[in-house]
Amino acid sequence: MALGFWQEVNADRWRSKTAVVNASAADRLACIATVRVDRLTPEVVREAVESLSPYVARQAVNAVKGAVKHARSLGYEVVPATVSMPSPRPPETAQRALSVEEVQALAAQIGPLHGDVVELLAFTGLRVGELAGLEVRDYNAARSRLSVIRAVSWPRGGAVVGEPKTEAGKRTVPVIGAARSVIERRIAERPEEDRHPYAPLVLGPRRGARFNPNNWRRDAGWKAALDSLGLGRVRLHDLRHTYASLVRRSGADIYVLQKVLGHREIATTIDRYGHLYDDEIDELGASLEAALGGSHGQSVATEQ
């Protein structure tokens, strides 16, 4: 059973991003696309992906495993070890959270035409694709809320509009002062024909086009701005970590953080941001120490 067949029969039920990612993986695996599924061993798969980057290799292996599982469900004989083979793990990337002052300085350094995107990402916690997917109708000015119901991906350079990463990614996030000012200014200053409800909330350089992070980094002079401020290497995704840090500092518990970030599992939130709550453990220890100290004294007095 070829990978192309699996992709063909499943494309309709996949989210658009998944369909494109799997199509890209199938293209990269052309060397094994016609290998019979009962001969598709982990060794064959590993050899096919060894020249790919860890991230692309992970996508490719996951695509193969999906194809093999589908073949098994249709009654084909498969290699069990291939179904359960581990997917390559990309190297861990250290989190980086900027301070509010650094966010503001970076936005100012880039300038008013492009710098407000920095504030939008840092003060809403949206993924880059979610920001690109926003439309004018998603902003509720009366409640200061943004509805996140779609996301954009760029698997081969072209934009694909689909749903957020997971079902939990469909969410509502609060819009605080700085982000509210950016949104309302962007809508007010654009031509009347680009204010309709279905227009992208964050426009790209071409009229009516959606925001594209690759074009934006180039036009904004992202690396030059970081260098001039001495901030070192900062990814756009680090602005999401910045938002998580701000949410924690506001006093929100980890379940609220999970909700506004759109994580499906609380384990994901704890794994990535549990360290932000270490001070609560210290506070709990001090409180327990005080409570147990008082209780111990009372019990001793009672026994005597």
Side-chain angles (χ1 to χ4, degrees), residues 135-201:
E135 295 176 355
V136 172
R137 58 182 167 148
D138 300 326
Y139 175 54
N140 186 326
R143 297 189 61 208
S144 292
R145 297 284 188 273
L146 276 174
S147 295
V148 183
I149 57 176
R150 70 190 70 78
V152 179
S153 57
W154 301 266
R156 297 180 185 174
V160 177
V161 181
E163 296 182 344
K165 191 174 182 180
T166 65
E167 196 62 30
K170 296 178 182 178
R171 64 197 188 279
T172 301
V173 297
V175 180
I176 60 176
R180 187 187 310 116
S181 299
V182 170
I183 291 170
E184 294 181 351
R185 184 178 69 251
R186 274 185 169 265
I187 294 174
E189 293 179 354
R190 65 177 57 180
E192 186 67 35
E193 58 268 27
D194 287 332
R195 296 183 198 173
H196 60 86
Y198 298 94
L201 190 61

Side-chain angles (χ1 to χ4, degrees), residues 163-241:
E163 296 182 344
K165 191 174 182 180
T166 65
E167 196 62 30
K170 296 178 182 178
R171 64 197 188 279
T172 301
V173 297
V175 180
I176 60 176
R180 187 187 310 116
S181 299
V182 170
I183 291 170
E184 294 181 351
R185 184 178 69 251
R186 274 185 169 265
I187 294 174
E189 293 179 354
R190 65 177 57 180
E192 186 67 35
E193 58 268 27
D194 287 332
R195 296 183 198 173
H196 60 86
Y198 298 94
L201 190 61
V202 180
L203 291 168
R206 289 188 297 107
R207 187 168 175 180
R210 291 184 183 273
F211 168 80
N212 180 306
N214 297 320
N215 295 340
W216 181 87
R217 288 189 195 91
R218 179 197 63 220
D219 297 340
W222 174 248
K223 188 176 184 305
L226 293 173
D227 290 344
S228 66
L229 294 173
L231 291 177
R233 182 176 181 269
V234 179
R235 303 165 304 156
L236 286 179
H237 195 74
D238 290 327
L239 299 176
R240 180 168 161 87
H241 300 322

Side-chain angles (χ1 to χ4, degrees), residues 186-302:
R186 274 185 169 265
I187 294 174
E189 293 179 354
R190 65 177 57 180
E192 186 67 35
E193 58 268 27
D194 287 332
R195 296 183 198 173
H196 60 86
Y198 298 94
L201 190 61
V202 180
L203 291 168
R206 289 188 297 107
R207 187 168 175 180
R210 291 184 183 273
F211 168 80
N212 180 306
N214 297 320
N215 295 340
W216 181 87
R217 288 189 195 91
R218 179 197 63 220
D219 297 340
W222 174 248
K223 188 176 184 305
L226 293 173
D227 290 344
S228 66
L229 294 173
L231 291 177
R233 182 176 181 269
V234 179
R235 303 165 304 156
L236 286 179
H237 195 74
D238 290 327
L239 299 176
R240 180 168 161 87
H241 300 322
T242 298
Y243 179 76
S245 176
L246 293 174
V247 170
R248 171 64 190 112
R249 283 167 51 190
S250 74
D253 67 34
I254 201 161
Y255 292 98
V256 172
L257 182 59
Q258 175 197 8
K259 188 172 183 179
V260 295
L261 290 179
H263 289 159
R264 180 173 54 191
E265 304 288 346
I266 188 63
T268 302
T269 315
I270 292 171
D271 181 53
R272 295 180 186 174
Y273 301 110
H275 64 280
L276 298 177
Y277 293 81
D278 284 348
D279 58 337
E280 288 190 354
I281 297 176
D282 296 335
E283 292 168 9
L284 176 62
S287 299
L288 285 173
E289 186 74 37
L292 291 173
S295 298
H296 179 69
Q298 290 173 3
S299 65
V300 171
T302 301

Side-chain angles (χ1 to χ4, degrees), residues 43-212:
E43 292 73 25
V44 170
V45 177
R46 279 193 283 268
E47 185 178 346
V49 304
E50 65 180 356
S51 64
L52 304 177
S53 71
Y55 179 75
V56 176
R58 182 178 181 82
Q59 291 180 331
V61 170
N62 287 339
V64 171
K65 290 163 67 175
V68 173
K69 288 178 183 177
H70 182 68
R72 185 175 60 182
S73 73
L74 295 177
Y76 288 87
E77 185 179 342
V78 304
V79 180
T82 305
V83 176
S84 58
M85 70 178 291
S87 302
R89 289 186 64 86
E92 293 290 331
T93 304
Q95 290 184 11
R96 173 80 182 274
L98 303 183
S99 67
V100 172
E101 293 73 23
E102 287 173 329
V103 170
Q104 293 170 336
L106 184 55
Q109 181 68 32
I110 291 173
L113 186 60
H114 301 291
D116 56 6
V117 166
V118 175
E119 294 176 299
L120 273 180
L121 289 170
F123 299 144
T124 62
L126 298 182
R127 300 176 178 95
V128 170
E130 293 170 344
L131 180 72
L134 288 176
E135 295 176 355
V136 172
R137 58 182 167 148
D138 300 326
Y139 175 54
N140 186 326
R143 297 189 61 208
S144 292
R145 297 284 188 273
L146 276 174
S147 295
V148 183
I149 57 176
R150 70 190 70 78
V152 179
S153 57
W154 301 266
R156 297 180 185 174
V160 177
V161 181
E163 296 182 344
K165 191 174 182 180
T166 65
E167 196 62 30
K170 296 178 182 178
R171 64 197 188 279
T172 301
V173 297
V175 180
I176 60 176
R180 187 187 310 116
S181 299
V182 170
I183 291 170
E184 294 181 351
R185 184 178 69 251
R186 274 185 169 265
I187 294 174
E189 293 179 354
R190 65 177 57 180
E192 186 67 35
E193 58 268 27
D194 287 332
R195 296 183 198 173
H196 60 86
Y198 298 94
L201 190 61
V202 180
L203 291 168
R206 289 188 297 107
R207 187 168 175 180
R210 291 184 183 273
F211 168 80
N212 180 306

